[in-house]
Amino acid sequence: MDKITIYDIAAKAGVSASTVSRVINNYPYVKKATRDKVHKLLAENNYILNETARSLVTQSSHMAGILISDIRMTHHTEGVYYIEQEFSKRGYSCIIYNTGLNPESMALHIQMLSQKKIEALVLVGSIYQNETVKRAISQFIPSVPVAICNGYFEAPNVYGVVADECNGVMDCVRLLAEKGRKKICFIYYNDTPSNQQKILGFTRGCREFLSDDSSCLVKVEMNISKVENILTDFFSSHSEVDAVIFAEDFLALIGLHVLATLNKRIPDDIAVIGINNSKYACISNPSLTSLDNMLYDMSIMAVRTLLNVLDGDYGNKHIILGTRIEERNST
């Protein structure tokens, strides 16, 4: 009688050979019913494990995927750098894709990475926190551990490291209120889950530390000339605004430029806070007060969580990082 193979067991169980191999090698994310069925068939058929079968899952590709929505966003590309460097320390090579902002494109790139046999995936930015991406992960890489930097959704193989930007922005409002600011504006340019948390913190902060009519929200299009025009019109017609929080440092730099052209004194006439605590915050004129959302820590924790999972250890599903304000000359 021919020696039974992993493919014979798979056929009897009605599953794929890779699923049988995952069961044999105690790989996570296999349903208990499937695992029990495969173990029963292995015992009944006196299956003897061979190295060829084991290699289906244990022959490591040492490849990791990194997805970024827009490589022009310097804050996120800096995160990609930290992620790649941390993977490299463990001998992993990284495939980096620029997906664009369309969820369907994100899903397509997840499918492409599945064909590269990646062992782990990091999604950079809260924009990946959407149902299309969730479905793509479930369909194409259900057994690959995935970490989202500054985002999270429930899935068996998904982990999230999130900055507490809601409370961080509340702290920014508190700082401005303590400095006697009465009318604060929050300026942002897209509706990512991250920005939604920032707006939530802004509105809560204004309710708690200022009067009900002390806040305003301004959404701009992320085009430098259009942003400049919108901000010029806004600040020219809203002289009562004495403080502004920008959702990103890059937006804040545009704001500083516009305010300078309007002969606004910073921080005497208007205080300015950015978010991300990027390197540009230190070299702007004046230097920019910014909310540090812990990019480095977030990136390193995302990779180390995935490596722990790959090593068979526990991975914290949802890590929330505190933020801190780096105060500089703009406040």
Side-chain angles (χ1 to χ4, degrees):
M1 181 178 177
D2 292 338
K3 183 178 178 180
I4 194 165
T5 70
I6 194 171
Y7 300 98
D8 298 322
I9 297 295
K12 292 174 181 289
V15 299
S16 67
S18 60
T19 296
V20 175
S21 190
R22 284 195 288 271
V23 171
I24 291 170
N25 290 282
N26 296 316
Y27 203 89
Y29 315 128
V30 178
K31 293 179 180 178
K32 184 180 185 301
T34 301
R35 190 182 297 276
D36 292 344
K37 184 177 183 180
V38 170
H39 277 308
K40 184 172 184 292
L41 286 167
L42 291 171
E44 288 175 352
N45 290 275
N46 297 314
Y47 177 79
I48 299 174
L49 180 64
N50 61 62
E51 287 305 311
T52 301
R54 181 180 291 277
S55 71
L56 284 173
V57 293
T58 60
Q59 187 177 34
S60 172
S61 69
H62 264 66
M63 297 289 293
I66 306 174
L67 297 187
I68 180 172
S69 62
D70 189 341
I71 58 175
R72 296 170 298 178
M73 296 179 65
T74 56
H75 184 64
H76 285 172
T77 53
E78 189 173 348
V80 170
Y81 172 80
Y82 296 141
I83 292 164
E84 190 278 332
Q85 289 291 295
E86 192 67 14
F87 271 126
S88 181
K89 291 176 184 177
R90 284 285 298 269
Y92 281 79
S93 298
C94 293
I95 302 172
I96 303 169
Y97 283 147
N98 178 54
T99 66
L101 304 176
N102 187 317
E104 294 300 333
S105 176
M106 297 173 187
L108 175 61
H109 283 84
I110 290 171
Q111 181 180 9
M112 291 165 60
L113 283 173
S114 72
Q115 297 166 357
K116 303 291 186 182
K117 306 300 181 185
I118 58 167
E119 296 181 13
L121 172 62
V122 179
L123 309 176
V124 181
S126 68
I127 196 168
Y128 289 98
Q129 186 180 309
N130 64 71
E131 286 298 319
T132 302
V133 165
K134 184 177 181 179
R135 286 194 300 270
I137 289 172
S138 176
Q139 179 178 358
F140 299 117
I141 51 171
S143 299
V144 173
V146 178
I148 309 177
C149 285
N150 216 19
Y152 179 68
F153 50 69
E154 281 289 341
N157 58 325
V158 172
Y159 304 81
V161 186
V162 180
D164 187 3
E165 293 173 316
C166 178
N167 282 316
V169 174
M170 281 189 70
D171 289 339
C172 291
V173 176
R174 179 191 291 111
L175 174 67
L176 293 170
E178 289 172 351
K179 291 178 177 293
R181 306 297 168 163
K182 303 298 184 183
K183 184 71 173 182
I184 307 176
C185 181
F186 185 86
I187 297 176
Y188 68 108
Y189 68 88
N190 57 20
D191 293 311
T192 64
S194 171
N195 277 346
Q196 291 167 5
Q197 285 299 303
K198 294 170 189 174
I199 291 170
L200 180 61
F202 175 70
T203 55
R204 285 179 177 175
C206 289
R207 284 198 303 266
E208 183 168 344
F209 306 117
L210 297 167
S211 62
D212 291 339
D213 61 348
S214 61
S215 66
C216 64
L217 295 172
V218 176
K219 185 177 181 180
V220 298
E221 184 178 339
M222 196 53 215
N223 173 288
I224 293 178
S225 60
K226 290 182 179 180
V227 172
E228 288 179 334
N229 291 335
I230 292 171
L231 295 185
T232 298
D233 291 343
F234 176 79
F235 289 123
S236 296
S237 59
H238 292 78
S239 58
E240 74 281 7
V241 171
D242 57 6
V244 57
I245 301 172
F246 288 92
E248 308 279 348
D249 282 351
F250 183 70
L251 266 181
L253 296 182
I254 301 174
L256 290 175
H257 171 72
V258 169
L259 290 167
T261 62
L262 295 173
N263 296 316
K264 296 283 189 178
R265 295 173 302 163
I266 301 169
D268 295 341
D269 296 331
I270 185 167
V272 178
I273 295 179
I275 298 175
N276 290 340
N277 196 33
S278 66
K279 57 188 175 183
Y280 304 110
C282 299
I283 62 175
S284 65
N285 187 21
S287 59
L288 178 67
T289 295
S290 186
L291 180 69
D292 189 344
N293 53 12
M294 315 304 285
L295 173 67
Y296 175 79
D297 302 80
M298 186 187 304
S299 304
I300 300 303
M301 284 187 179
V303 176
R304 290 181 181 174
T305 296
L306 297 182
L307 293 175
N308 284 343
V309 173
L310 289 170
D311 289 340
D313 295 333
Y314 172 77
N316 196 325
K317 290 287 287 180
H318 193 188
I319 300 171
I320 300 176
L321 300 178
T323 59
R324 65 171 181 264
I325 301 171
E326 291 290 343
E327 188 170 7
R328 301 185 179 92
N329 293 337
S330 66
T331 53

